[in-house]
Amino acid sequence: MKTPEQLRSHQWYGTDGLRSFSHRARTRQLGYLPEEHLGKPVIAILNTWSDINPCHMHLRERAEAVKRGVWQAGGFPLEFPVATLSETFQKPTPMLYRNLLAMETEELLRSYPVDGAVLMGGCDKTTPALLMGAASVDLPAVFVPAGPMLRGHWRGETLGSGTDMWKYWDDRRAGLIGDRELGELECGLARSPGTCMTMGTASTMTAAAEALGLTIPGASSIPAVDSGHHRMAAAAGRRVVDLVWQDQRLSRFLTRGAFENAVTTVIALGGSTNAVIHLIAMAGRSGVELTLDDFDAIARSTPVLANVRPGGAYLMEDFHYAGGLPGLLGRLRDRLDLDRPTVTHATLREQLDGALVHDDDVIRPPDKALAPEGGIAVLRGNLAPDGAVIKHIAAEPHLLQHTGPAVVFDDYRQMQKTIDDPSLAVTADSVLVLRGAGPLGGPGMPEYGMLPIPKYLLEQGVRDMVRISDARMSGTSYGACVLHVAPESYVGGPLALVRTGDLVTLDVEKRTLRLDVDDAELAERRAAWQAPAPRYGRGYGSLYQEQITQADIGCDFAFLSRPGEVPDPYAG
């Protein structure tokens, strides 16, 4: 156990010097008495609340519950606003700014008198960003997920945000519904604070954080407006104070076994493909090597147990009340490292003791799995030498072995303008190819991967096609979409060499993605290829394009992901 003199914040407050006197005086200026903070763990509450982020619109209120818990445990809470990364509004994509929030998190925790942290996030990129930054500074920390929103409703139907947005937009393009129905849907898709209530990227990543052992048990699926969410936030505040006194830093929990547990969890949930990029980056910050091959190996031996959209039938409310992540992990015991610690228990085994499932259709037993093996596959071949991914559980089965002629789009705007043009001669057998949408080309690897199907095909009843890109895809999306092709076209990856009419073969069972063009022809095309001009001449974008890595290694910044010592600041 630490003593008050061993607290990191003691360097700021407890020494006999001018700077310490100044720090105490300025804390009086803030209105705090000496007995409220001296000798107590200072807990930073990093809050991604914002007026422009509906997923986090309740976090300003929820921070008060965290503070309550910190006070109760004898700590001193300080709330810090950090970048919000609103998936619904930020352009070109919040993925461009994930590493910026990670930098802000790391440097804020390092530069202030902080002993521990509560990290409040949930919207897609906030979870990995907060955890990447916190892992790099390695203080005691607990993650508080924003929680999923309530289920949607429209004309007697239950709606899932994101997933049904794509479905009904295609129905409108096919002429099946009109503007009146669309206006009603606008009011029914997202009815409360919280993240998407499908197994999109937000719920996938908060579940991964729980599987890593960084949350209060069951926290990742509590609906945002449930009173249990208030109680969980207060419990997180209490717990982090104990972690500080016990000097239990994030590095104690972020082990190889923890990341393998997180990958197994993502696979069993039928989770978002975005988790592949984020978990690889998070592992890298923790000194753990995690690769695409790890995902594929675990996927081949892990059944999908969560019957949650877009791969299943239910929503996150149903999942939570069926037993939540503790229930699901309880059914994966033989596939997990149960002897690793969590922020609340000595071992995961102890944490899962007594975990129950209350609805076997929502959280399936392994012998009645939604799918016998994981819903994410890693593909390789001459079109993706460093790998690509597909969420094949959300695709039409007949497309998982497919050869068809490519129809190539050089950028997303061009595709939007021309996709419905009959002169492109797109058929249901065509393979739609989008390039220039990767980490550098996007920029930021936007969620463009669920390419729209031409309107005239939608009218004929076509609802899925093979689509290939170096982009990402929303975790709420579905379809036979091959994503994260690496290396991306912008840096001269093979995707840059594809021409309309080339045959492309996808074989998920064999894990291959092949461009059926001979090597001599590809060499000729490569010799003629010219690198595009840099997108940014200055600013953060310039730093981004200099440092960003490719999708297969996590899209982190090279200077942040490499090993090296960073000294604590001298507090004077």
Side-chain angles (χ1 to χ4, degrees):
M1 292 287 289
K2 280 188 170 183
T3 66
E5 292 73 28
Q6 292 172 321
L7 293 173
R8 187 173 177 271
S9 57
H10 181 77
Q11 302 172 51
W12 275 260
Y13 285 124
T15 62
D16 184 19
L18 172 63
R19 295 296 178 191
S20 189
F21 164 69
S22 173
H23 298 148
R24 293 193 298 269
R26 292 301 186 178
T27 306
R28 303 298 161 267
Q29 182 185 7
L30 290 168
Y32 294 109
L33 296 166
E35 55 267 32
E36 292 184 271
H37 72 98
L38 289 180
K40 297 181 178 182
V42 177
I43 305 302
I45 301 170
L46 271 58
N47 194 345
T48 50
W49 170 87
S50 168
D51 272 333
I52 194 65
N53 192 338
C55 303
H56 295 181
M57 60 193 288
H58 59 304
L59 291 188
R60 183 162 61 173
E61 174 188 352
R62 210 63 81 247
E64 297 304 312
V66 176
K67 290 177 185 177
R68 186 176 82 237
V70 172
W71 286 120
Q72 288 171 350
F76 178 57
L78 293 172
E79 186 177 354
F80 293 79
V82 292
T84 193
L85 304 191
S86 173
E87 193 69 32
T88 44
F89 290 102
Q90 194 168 26
K91 306 298 179 187
T93 166
M95 184 63 179
L96 185 69
Y97 302 103
R98 183 199 69 181
N99 298 339
L100 182 62
L101 175 54
M103 289 170 63
E104 182 182 18
T105 299
E106 177 179 354
E107 298 307 323
L108 186 152
L109 293 177
R110 196 186 306 281
S111 60
Y112 281 98
V114 170
D115 298 300
V118 173
L119 313 169
M120 304 185 70
C123 194
D124 297 10
K125 312 307 177 293
T126 58
T127 299
L130 290 167
L131 292 175
M132 287 164 67
S136 292
V137 76
D138 196 23
L139 292 176
V142 177
F143 184 74
V144 170
M149 68 178 84
L150 297 176
R151 69 184 73 238
H153 288 287
W154 178 67
R155 295 189 177 185
E157 293 187 37
T158 297
L159 302 179
S161 60
T163 302
D164 279 312
M165 176 188 75
W166 308 109
K167 174 185 180 296
Y168 285 108
W169 185 255
D170 278 352
D171 282 355
R172 181 181 185 261
R173 293 180 65 229
L176 300 177
I177 63 173
D179 289 345
R180 177 173 178 173
E181 290 83 359
L182 205 67
E184 293 174 6
L185 283 161
E186 286 178 7
C187 298
L189 271 172
R191 301 187 302 112
S192 79
T195 56
C196 290
M197 77 301 257
T198 53
M199 190 53 69
T201 305
S203 287
T204 300
M205 291 311 303
T206 56
E210 183 173 340
L212 287 167
L214 305 181
T215 75
I216 300 300
S220 62
S221 62
I222 303 173
V225 295
D226 192 298
S227 63
H229 200 267
H230 294 258
R231 298 190 295 273
M232 176 272 295
R238 289 193 299 273
R239 184 60 192 145
V240 75
V241 175
D242 293 337
L243 294 175
V244 170
W245 286 125
Q246 297 162 9
D247 199 23
Q248 294 190 28
R249 299 166 183 256
L250 277 178
S251 54
R252 180 170 185 261
F253 310 107
L254 295 178
T255 62
R256 170 78 187 182
F259 279 101
E260 289 178 347
N261 286 357
V263 174
T264 301
T265 300
V266 167
I267 298 301
L269 289 169
S272 168
T273 51
N274 286 310
V276 178
I277 293 175
H278 296 320
L279 281 171
I280 287 174
M282 291 161 63
R285 292 295 190 97
S286 305
V288 172
E289 184 181 4
L290 190 68
T291 68
L292 291 178
D293 292 335
D294 292 318
F295 276 86
D296 199 59
I298 291 172
R300 287 177 182 270
S301 61
T302 303
V304 179
L305 304 184
N307 187 9
V308 180
R309 301 185 199 182
Y314 294 96
L315 295 172
M316 288 303 297
E317 271 186 84
D318 307 303
F319 179 76
H320 178 68
Y321 299 122
L325 204 67
L328 181 128
L329 295 180
R331 290 189 161 172
L332 294 169
R333 288 173 189 269
D334 59 340
R335 294 173 170 84
L336 300 174
D337 179 355
L338 295 173
D339 295 320
R340 50 167 300 270
T342 72
V343 295
T344 58
H345 290 79
T347 65
L348 179 60
R349 185 189 313 277
E350 178 186 321
Q351 181 170 310
L352 292 179
D353 185 35
L356 298 173
V357 172
H358 311 297
D359 189 326
D360 285 342
D361 194 40
V362 180
I363 302 174
R364 301 282 186 90
D367 63 343
K368 295 181 180 178
L370 200 67
E373 69 169 48
I376 295 176
V378 175
L379 311 171
R380 296 186 189 273
N382 70 343
L383 194 50
D386 291 339
V389 301
I390 183 171
K391 188 174 181 176
H392 55 92
I393 195 175
E396 291 189 6
H398 74 278
L399 294 172
L400 300 182
Q401 288 180 304
H402 181 81
T403 297
V407 178
V408 180
F409 301 94
D410 284 316
D411 64 70
Y412 190 71
R413 275 176 278 194
Q414 176 213 13
M415 182 275 301
Q416 286 179 303
K417 292 175 182 177
T418 61
I419 188 64
D420 294 328
D421 186 347
S423 70
L424 291 178
V426 177
T427 72
D429 290 329
S430 297
V431 175
L432 302 180
V433 175
L434 173 67
R435 56 190 176 209
L440 277 164
M445 210 177 178
E447 292 183 339
Y448 292 164
M450 188 180 172
L451 304 182
I453 294 170
K455 182 177 179 179
Y456 55 87
L457 291 181
L458 290 173
E459 291 170 346
Q460 296 169 26
V462 176
R463 282 296 185 272
D464 199 4
M465 296 176 63
V466 174
R467 289 158 276 183
I468 299 172
S469 72
D470 44 17
R472 295 177 303 108
M473 181 173 82
S474 167
T476 65
S477 303
Y478 51 86
C481 301
V482 177
L483 311 158
H484 310 180
V485 171
E488 65 174 307
S489 59
Y490 194 86
V491 299
L495 202 65
L497 310 180
V498 184
R499 293 180 180 174
T500 293
D502 291 345
L503 289 180
V504 175
T505 296
L506 165 68
D507 191 323
V508 172
E509 184 178 353
K510 294 180 179 178
R511 300 298 201 259
T512 57
L513 182 66
R514 189 177 72 251
L515 179 62
D516 296 329
V517 175
D518 66 60
D519 292 343
E521 171 65 16
L522 288 177
E524 240 180 79
R525 295 182 189 181
R526 180 169 299 286
W529 180 78
Q530 293 184 339
R535 292 187 178 276
Y536 295 98
R538 60 163 302 281
Y540 172 74
S542 179
L543 172 67
Y544 175 92
Q545 67 192 10
E546 289 171 6
Q547 293 293 327
I548 196 68
T549 61
Q550 287 292 295
D552 60 303
I553 55 175
C555 294
D556 201 357
F557 285 165
F559 77 95
L560 293 176
S561 58
R562 67 186 180 219
E565 295 298 319
V566 180
D568 243 7
Y570 176 59

